[in-house]
Amino acid sequence: MAKGMRVKLSHLAETHQKLQDVKTLQDLETVLNNKSGLQAFRVFLRSEFSEENLEFWLACEDYRVSPSNQQKTMASSICSKFINPDAPQEVNLDAETREALLRVIDSPCADTFNKAQQRIFSLMAKDSFPRFLRSHHCMEAIKAF
């Protein structure tokens, strides 16, 4: 009897933990800050040919913590890769945000990309992230959690 009860309690605890993991993965910010969640989201975006949003977001995170003497080079690189019209991984920014960025790119500061990064985060949160939550990629991430 006691052994059966222990097994049931153990199963209940395991089920509760999986539910907590699912709740955790339902928050984009948590996924982006979790190694296996980030990897699963990246693979999912790659399968949808929309990985550029995540790559831009990650580049902005790197930029934000970079030494100020490297910011101009990094800003230029981010613009040529993601912001400029016809960039190889051009992200979907509104014209106003894009133009504002391009005006200040020659004298960047730590928060140069904040508005653009927030717009892309919102785009991922509203568009690709809900699809990710319904995908097998998300299920695999939960199993790996």
Side-chain angles (χ1 to χ4, degrees):
M1 174 87 170
K3 184 177 191 253
M5 192 64 118
R6 259 196 313 272
V7 169
K8 284 181 183 174
L9 285 174
S10 152
H11 178 71
L12 191 59
E14 193 176 296
T15 302
H16 177 72
Q17 185 58 49
K18 285 211 183 283
L19 286 173
Q20 290 302 108
D21 293 346
V22 170
K23 285 179 184 170
T24 297
L25 280 178
Q26 289 180 344
D27 172 11
L28 178 56
E29 194 169 338
T30 302
V31 168
L32 295 176
N33 290 305
N34 173 281
K35 192 175 180 178
S36 60
L38 175 63
Q39 185 57 33
F41 190 49
R42 175 180 271 138
V43 169
F44 169 75
L45 290 174
R46 195 173 292 148
S47 76
E48 290 202 330
F49 304 99
S50 61
E51 190 180 6
E52 70 280 352
N53 290 331
L54 177 60
E55 294 304 323
F56 172 73
W57 189 88
L58 291 169
C60 291
E61 287 296 289
D62 288 344
Y63 173 84
R64 185 190 339 268
V65 298
S66 67
S68 56
N69 66 341
Q70 293 179 10
Q71 286 180 341
K72 189 166 184 167
T73 304
M74 288 180 79
S76 176
S77 173
I78 289 170
C79 274
S80 62
K81 189 172 183 179
F82 301 105
I83 306 299
N84 291 336
D86 300 321
Q89 291 187 280
E90 186 178 355
V91 291
N92 186 5
L93 289 173
D94 58 280
E96 183 184 327
T97 303
R98 184 180 309 276
E99 288 164 13
L101 248 179
L102 293 174
R103 276 194 303 273
V104 300
I105 208 62
D106 288 330
S107 53
C109 62
D111 63 354
T112 295
F113 292 100
N114 286 4
K115 186 175 182 182
Q117 184 185 24
Q118 186 55 49
R119 293 210 186 264
I120 294 301
F121 180 91
S122 295
L123 184 66
M124 288 190 298
K126 291 176 187 157
D127 184 41
S128 50
F129 190 65
R131 287 194 310 278
F132 168 70
L133 290 176
R134 295 186 299 269
S135 74
H136 75 278
H137 297 284
C138 184
M139 295 304 126
E140 292 302 313
I142 290 169
K143 288 177 190 171
F145 232 75

